[in-house]
Amino acid sequence: MNNPAALREQPAMQTNTRRRALLAGCSAHAVHDGLTDLIYVLLPIWQVQFGLSLAQVGLLRGAYSGMMAGFQLLASRAAKRWGRERLLVGGTALAGLAYLLVGQAGGLTVLLLALMVGGLGASTQHPLASSLITDAYEPGGGVKEALSQYNFAGDIGKTLLPGLIGLLLIVVDWRTSVTLMGLLGLAAAALLWWLIPAREPAHVRSSKAANTAPSAGSPGGLRALLATGALDSAVRMGFLTFLPFLLKSKGAGTAGIGLALTLLFIGGAFGKLLCGYLGARIGMMKTVWLTESATSLMIILAVFLPYFGLMAMLPLLGLALNGTSSVLYGVVPDLAGPDKREQAFALFYTGTIGGGALAPVVFGRLGDATGVPVAMVTLAVMLLLTLPLSYAVQRGLSR
């Protein structure tokens, strides 16, 4: 016989668990993405400080992102043995420790090793925080909306932490600035240790298990989703690579290019939040068709519009350009079995990060050969390949 008092405790306990899991996941995403994008602010300083070539500068950036992308699958597997919560907290602490080491670096070798340590710590965040939120929200619904908030939080971190270190660099040197960022990472790890919900009582776990239907997932749908995400990410990074050159050809100066990117990123941040909710309301395929078709059209318009017309369109373009990612993240749990979520998220994030990293190289060569306008139109046409891919994803969901 069920204990009435225990049954009354369940809704309040589940609500608290959901809130703590969402806050923990969003905090981890904001801190990790912020620490990752700090590197863009610091690279020019390191180049002057250590006399680096452009190839060495690229090596530093690639070391962090390569470690982050390459170890995500390993992090998802290690979570099964060591525990998701421990690994997420440990990875966040490792990212903070890396910046403490950066603050002590006297040359390229130590700097490179420190950034590799930071990338290793960052590899835990995407798959583990995503699955933490998914598991917390699945019993009561709202997974897609929660993941869109998680996605939005990453963009907040990308805006706040690089801006914060920019302000710090006005009053203190770069070593002090990165040391403070390292301490922030360690503080975030302590916060996560406190925030991540404790293991639930046995009667709550058994109740969830009884009400959750087993699912083997859809490997074919997951492969189609991975291809969709990689293609979407590649086009997004390719567009961001070409946009400054397109703006310059229309008469924009440095300040104008900076303003344009700000408008695009503001639209993109809200797109990640809003499109996740839209996908939960009208479905994944309809939302992807809407956002990707709009993005493709606006990329073509960007080539032909005058400067002020392009500037006015950029927030809307950012909304559609970035919004698709939240819709795609939201269906990863639907296509993966409950015991394979960390691995599915790791695969998805590895694919999207890989596609985004490869795109500037491939499309840069295309731009050299054909010119920026032709390359951007090619991007727009290529993006339409996500439409049949999203149909394949929908078939996987229907099964």
Side-chain angles (χ1 to χ4, degrees):
M1 182 179 292
N2 290 324
N3 185 339
L7 291 174
R8 285 194 298 271
E9 288 175 4
Q10 286 186 34
M13 188 178 298
Q14 289 175 4
T15 299
N16 183 56
T17 298
R18 286 156 64 96
R19 288 175 179 170
R20 290 172 71 94
L22 181 60
L23 184 55
C26 289
S27 300
H29 201 186
V31 170
H32 277 275
D33 276 21
L35 291 177
T36 299
D37 279 18
L38 288 182
I39 298 173
Y40 292 119
V41 181
L42 295 165
L43 284 175
I45 299 173
W46 293 336
Q47 183 184 25
V48 174
Q49 177 77 35
F50 301 116
L52 305 178
S53 67
L54 289 177
Q56 289 171 326
V57 168
L59 177 63
L60 291 176
R61 182 66 188 94
Y64 195 103
S65 58
M67 291 290 286
M68 179 174 65
F71 280 87
Q72 287 184 125
L73 274 172
L74 184 61
S76 71
R77 291 170 184 165
K80 296 182 183 299
R81 178 173 181 179
W82 302 105
R84 179 172 55 197
E85 294 78 6
R86 288 181 181 177
L87 225 61
L88 183 56
V89 171
T92 305
L94 200 59
L97 178 62
Y99 273 96
L100 294 181
L101 294 174
V102 165
Q104 304 302 314
L108 176 64
T109 302
V110 176
L111 194 57
L112 181 62
L113 290 174
L115 290 177
M116 290 176 70
V117 169
L120 180 63
S123 69
T124 62
Q125 187 272 131
H126 282 124
L128 304 188
S130 299
S131 57
L132 174 71
I133 292 171
T134 299
D135 288 351
Y137 273 78
E138 186 178 49
V143 172
K144 294 175 175 59
E145 294 90 337
L147 286 175
S148 70
Q149 294 178 49
Y150 161 78
N151 206 9
F152 176 70
D155 276 27
I156 297 298
K158 290 177 182 179
T159 302
L160 291 182
L161 291 195
L164 176 59
I165 202 170
L167 292 174
L168 285 171
L169 288 168
I170 297 173
V171 294
V172 296
D173 63 14
W174 71 268
R175 292 184 185 276
T176 304
S177 299
V178 297
T179 298
L180 291 172
M181 291 297 103
L183 293 174
L184 176 64
L186 293 178
L191 176 66
L192 290 176
W193 182 262
W194 175 74
L195 266 180
I196 293 176
R199 188 168 175 81
E200 293 171 325
H203 67 269
V204 178
R205 295 198 305 273
S206 60
S207 173
K208 285 185 179 181
N211 292 298
T212 302
S215 170
S218 172
L222 192 59
R223 286 192 292 270
L225 181 68
L226 177 61
T228 307
L231 192 58
D232 176 71
S233 179
V235 170
R236 182 165 60 252
M237 293 300 105
F239 177 76
L240 287 171
T241 300
F242 289 131
L243 180 60
F245 300 99
L246 181 68
L247 288 163
K248 189 176 180 180
S249 71
K250 296 177 185 291
T254 303
I257 292 172
L259 175 61
L261 290 172
T262 300
L263 292 173
L264 187 77
F265 292 150
I266 290 172
F270 283 98
K272 287 185 176 182
L273 182 64
L274 296 175
C275 289
Y277 281 82
L278 183 64
R281 298 296 180 273
I282 68 173
M284 180 280 305
M285 191 175 75
K286 289 180 181 178
T287 308
V288 170
W289 278 57
L290 176 64
T291 56
E292 300 290 54
S293 299
T295 301
S296 180
L297 176 62
M298 284 188 281
I299 289 176
I300 294 173
L301 287 174
V303 175
F304 298 103
L305 282 174
Y307 173 69
F308 289 107
L310 173 56
M311 292 291 280
M313 186 183 71
L314 282 175
L316 185 59
L317 175 53
L319 190 149
L321 184 71
N322 276 18
T324 307
S325 61
S326 281
V327 186
L328 300 178
Y329 295 159
V331 298
V332 172
D334 298 331
L335 294 168
D339 60 335
K340 296 181 179 179
R341 279 180 184 147
E342 286 93 349
Q343 184 179 1
F345 275 117
L347 279 169
F348 184 79
Y349 282 110
T350 300
T352 55
I353 292 171
L358 191 61
V361 178
V362 174
F363 289 109
R365 289 185 177 274
L366 179 63
D368 287 336
T370 64
V372 170
V374 173
M376 291 192 76
V377 171
T378 304
L379 282 173
V381 173
M382 196 177 85
L383 186 60
L384 296 177
L385 294 174
T386 59
L387 305 186
L389 283 170
S390 68
Y391 176 71
V393 175
Q394 186 62 50
R395 289 180 61 187
L397 290 171
S398 300
R399 289 173 186 168

